[in-house]
Amino acid sequence: MIKAIFFSKFDVREGPKVIHQVPTDSIVPSAGSPSQPLVDFSSIASTVIPRQTFCSLPIALLHARYRILGYPICLVSPSYARNEFIFNFCLVLSRHTEPTAYASVAAKLAALFKHLEETAHFLSGDPSPPNTGKVYALCEILLEDLNNYCECMIPIDDSNTLNIKLFPTYPPPPPIYPHHVPLSVVRLESLTDENWDLTMLLILPHINGVNSVKQIALLADADYKLVRKAIAHLLYYGCVMLLDIFSFAASYAPTAEIGSFIGNEEVQEECRRYVLVSNTGLLQARDGNQGGTEVEREALDGIRLVELYCSLRQGQSVRSWCLEYVGIVGSIDVRRFITFGVIKGFLYRVHKYAITTGPTGPLNKVDGKEGQRIGRKELERYLDGNHCFDQICTELLINERELLSRLKEIGDVQIVQR
C-alpha cells in the first residue's frame, strides 16, 4: 500500500524542494501544521534529487519505517535556468512492502512526465501553487486508485493518458520434476483464448491430476523443457498445484495436520462429497444427488472417513489398504480419496529411495519396449538416496517392478522409505 506520493524538483534558489505531496504535509509539513511527516526530506534530498550523473536511474532507499522509490529525470536545455531541469516523482511505502510491483510505477511516471515536459513544459511551466493544480490532482487520483483498485487510467490531455496496473508478486515456484503431477485448481479452459502460448494450449487438455509432467510432454508431442516452463507459469499464478504420481503400490501416511480434519465437520462433508461414488447411475439420478445413495452417505460419515485416513501408514501400500477395507472402498474413488488428503495437507506420500551400499556389478538387462540397454552408470546416478522411485521410473520410462528387478542385479542396494 502506498503511504504517500510526492513531486520534487531542483529549485535554482532553494535547491531540492517538494512541490506537491499527497497526503498534504506528509513529507514537508506547512508552517503551524501539527502533523508529523513520514520522512525527513532534508536528509534524503540529495538522493531524491541527485546530480545529473545519477539521473535516469531507479532509486530505492530505506528511511525510518518507510521505503522510498523514485526515478529522477534530468532534462538539459537552454530554456531552463542553469540549462537543466531535474525532477522526481517518488512513492513512499511501508518498509516491509514488497517493492517490485511499485518500481515500475515510478519508472512509468518518470517516462510519461519526461515526454510531457519535453513537448509542452508540463511541469516547469505549471504556475499552480504547491499542493494545487493538475499535477497535484493527478498524484491524488493515482494514490487513491492504486490503493483501492490496484490500477488507474487518468487522462492527462487529449493525447496522453496515464495507465498503470499493479500486478501481484508471488514467490518463485518450486522446482518441477518429470514425475510431478499438475492438478488444476481453476477452470483453465475458461481462461484461455487464441492468443495464449502454443505449448500452453497443447498441454491444457492433458492436465487432469493423473498425467505427470513427462507424460504430458509425450501426449502433447511438445518439448519437455517448454512444457515444464509452461507448467511453472501456471504454478506461479496459482492455477495448478503439484502432486505425486498416484499408484496402488505407493504408501501414504497422515501428518500432524490430521487433527484439523478430525475436528472440522465441514471439511469432512466436503471430502465425502468429493470421494463418494454411486454404485448405480440409475439410483443416483433417481435420488437427484451427486454424493451417492442415502445408504452410502450414512455408511461413509465423518467418523468413518477419519478412521480410513488414520489407518493409512508407512510400509502399507494402497493396494493392501484397499483389501483391508474392501467393504467400504467399493463406494469411494480411491484416487480422489488419497488426493483430497494430500491437497488439504493432512496426508503425505511415503517415497522410496535406493541407496547403494557395496560394489556394483554390470547390468545387462535389456528394456524390451525400447530395445535399449540401461547401463550401470546410468542407473547408479540415482542410487544416492536423493532420487525417489517416481523420479527414476519416470525418467527411465520403466515401472517399479522392473526397477526393483534391475536393482537386484546391481549388487547391495538398500530401499529406504521416508
Side-chain angles (χ1 to χ4, degrees):
M1 184 175 180
I2 302 176
K3 300 295 184 181
I5 298 178
F6 66 92
F7 164 63
S8 59
K9 70 175 184 179
F10 183 83
D11 187 277
V12 293
R13 287 184 290 272
E14 301 180 40
K17 180 180 180 182
V18 175
I19 307 300
H20 304 297
Q21 50 188 322
V22 180
T24 306
D25 299 334
S26 58
I27 307 300
V28 178
S30 56
S33 174
S35 61
Q36 184 72 20
L38 300 179
V39 297
D40 179 15
F41 181 74
S42 61
S43 63
I44 61 172
S46 59
T47 304
V48 172
I49 304 295
R51 296 179 181 273
Q52 184 176 348
T53 308
F54 299 101
C55 290
S56 299
L57 294 172
I59 64 168
L61 63 150
L62 295 175
H63 180 78
R65 296 181 291 115
Y66 300 97
R67 184 187 303 269
I68 303 169
L69 304 179
Y71 202 101
I73 296 294
C74 177
L75 298 177
V76 179
S77 173
S79 61
Y80 299 125
R82 298 189 183 181
N83 298 324
E84 65 180 19
F85 177 65
I86 303 177
F87 69 91
N88 196 357
F89 282 86
C90 292
L91 310 179
V92 181
L93 313 174
S94 172
R95 186 185 186 95
H96 304 291
T97 300
E98 172 58 44
T100 306
Y102 295 95
S104 60
V105 176
K108 193 161 188 175
L109 285 173
L112 174 64
F113 284 102
K114 177 182 178 182
H115 169 72
L116 292 174
E117 177 63 27
E118 289 176 334
T119 57
H121 292 278
F122 188 84
L123 298 175
S124 60
D126 183 16
S128 303
N131 299 328
T132 60
K134 51 189 177 182
V135 178
Y136 173 78
L138 185 144
C139 294
E140 197 171 29
I141 297 172
L142 180 66
L143 176 68
E144 182 177 349
D145 285 0
L146 290 184
N147 282 343
N148 292 331
Y149 312 110
C150 294
E151 61 182 358
C152 70
M153 186 178 69
I154 308 172
I156 307 296
D157 52 31
D158 294 339
S159 57
N160 293 282
T161 302
L162 178 61
N163 291 290
I164 293 179
K165 183 176 180 64
L166 293 177
F167 291 94
T169 303
Y170 303 107
I176 300 176
Y177 296 103
H179 64 279
H180 282 152
V181 177
L183 173 68
S184 62
V185 296
V186 298
R187 293 188 179 275
L188 296 174
E189 296 79 6
S190 63
L191 303 176
T192 60
D193 57 46
E194 64 276 5
N195 297 318
W196 272 41
D197 177 71
L198 180 59
T199 303
M200 187 75 76
L201 294 175
L202 288 173
I203 68 173
L204 289 185
H206 306 291
I207 298 178
N208 56 7
V210 177
N211 296 325
S212 66
V213 177
K214 182 76 170 181
Q215 289 173 317
I216 291 173
L218 295 174
L219 292 171
D221 193 20
D223 181 74
Y224 167 72
K225 292 182 179 179
L226 294 178
V227 171
R228 184 177 62 181
K229 188 173 183 180
I231 293 176
H233 279 286
L234 294 175
L235 187 63
Y236 177 80
Y237 288 105
C239 297
V240 300
M241 63 181 303
L242 297 180
L243 303 176
D244 298 301
I245 296 175
F246 174 78
S247 169
F248 282 93
S251 298
Y252 293 86
T255 68
E257 298 297 325
I258 190 65
S260 62
F261 177 74
I262 295 174
N264 195 325
E265 294 183 359
E266 292 184 1
V267 178
Q268 294 173 11
E269 176 62 19
E270 179 186 356
C271 176
R272 187 195 62 76
R273 291 196 307 268
Y274 183 70
V275 306
L276 190 59
V277 295
S278 178
N279 290 331
T280 63
L282 180 62
L283 276 176
Q284 183 173 347
R286 187 186 68 189
D287 291 346
N289 66 76
Q290 298 179 351
T293 63
E294 192 67 32
V295 175
E296 290 167 343
R297 289 200 302 273
E298 292 178 358
L300 194 67
D301 56 6
I303 298 176
R304 191 62 166 167
L305 285 171
V306 171
E307 179 186 351
L308 290 174
Y309 277 118
C310 291
S311 64
L312 293 166
R313 61 184 181 275
Q314 290 192 19
Q316 181 192 43
S317 66
V318 176
R319 183 183 295 107
S320 301
W321 176 83
C322 289
L323 294 175
E324 183 178 346
Y325 291 91
V326 65
I328 191 65
V329 165
S331 62
I332 66 173
D333 185 324
V334 177
R335 184 184 66 82
R336 283 190 163 206
F337 178 81
I338 296 296
T339 301
F340 185 88
V342 174
I343 292 173
K344 295 298 184 179
F346 58 81
L347 206 65
Y348 76 98
R349 169 74 182 276
V350 182
H351 284 286
K352 296 179 182 178
Y353 298 84
I355 304 175
T356 180
T357 57
T360 60
L363 184 62
N364 298 317
K365 184 127 177 147
V366 175
D367 187 347
K369 293 182 180 179
E370 299 293 336
Q372 296 179 349
R373 188 180 304 277
I374 296 181
R376 182 186 66 185
K377 291 185 178 179
E378 185 177 0
L379 192 55
E380 273 187 351
R381 64 190 182 95
Y382 295 105
L383 307 182
D384 57 357
N386 294 320
H387 302 83
C388 64
F389 273 27
D390 281 357
Q391 181 179 359
I392 300 172
C393 293
T394 302
E395 294 185 4
L396 298 182
L397 298 177
I398 58 177
N399 56 42
E400 185 174 330
R401 180 179 299 177
E402 189 172 1
L403 174 61
L404 290 172
S405 65
R406 295 182 180 186
L407 290 177
K408 291 179 181 178
E409 298 181 10
I410 290 183
D412 293 332
V413 178
Q414 295 292 330
I415 308 300
V416 178
Q417 296 189 18
R418 68 174 189 269

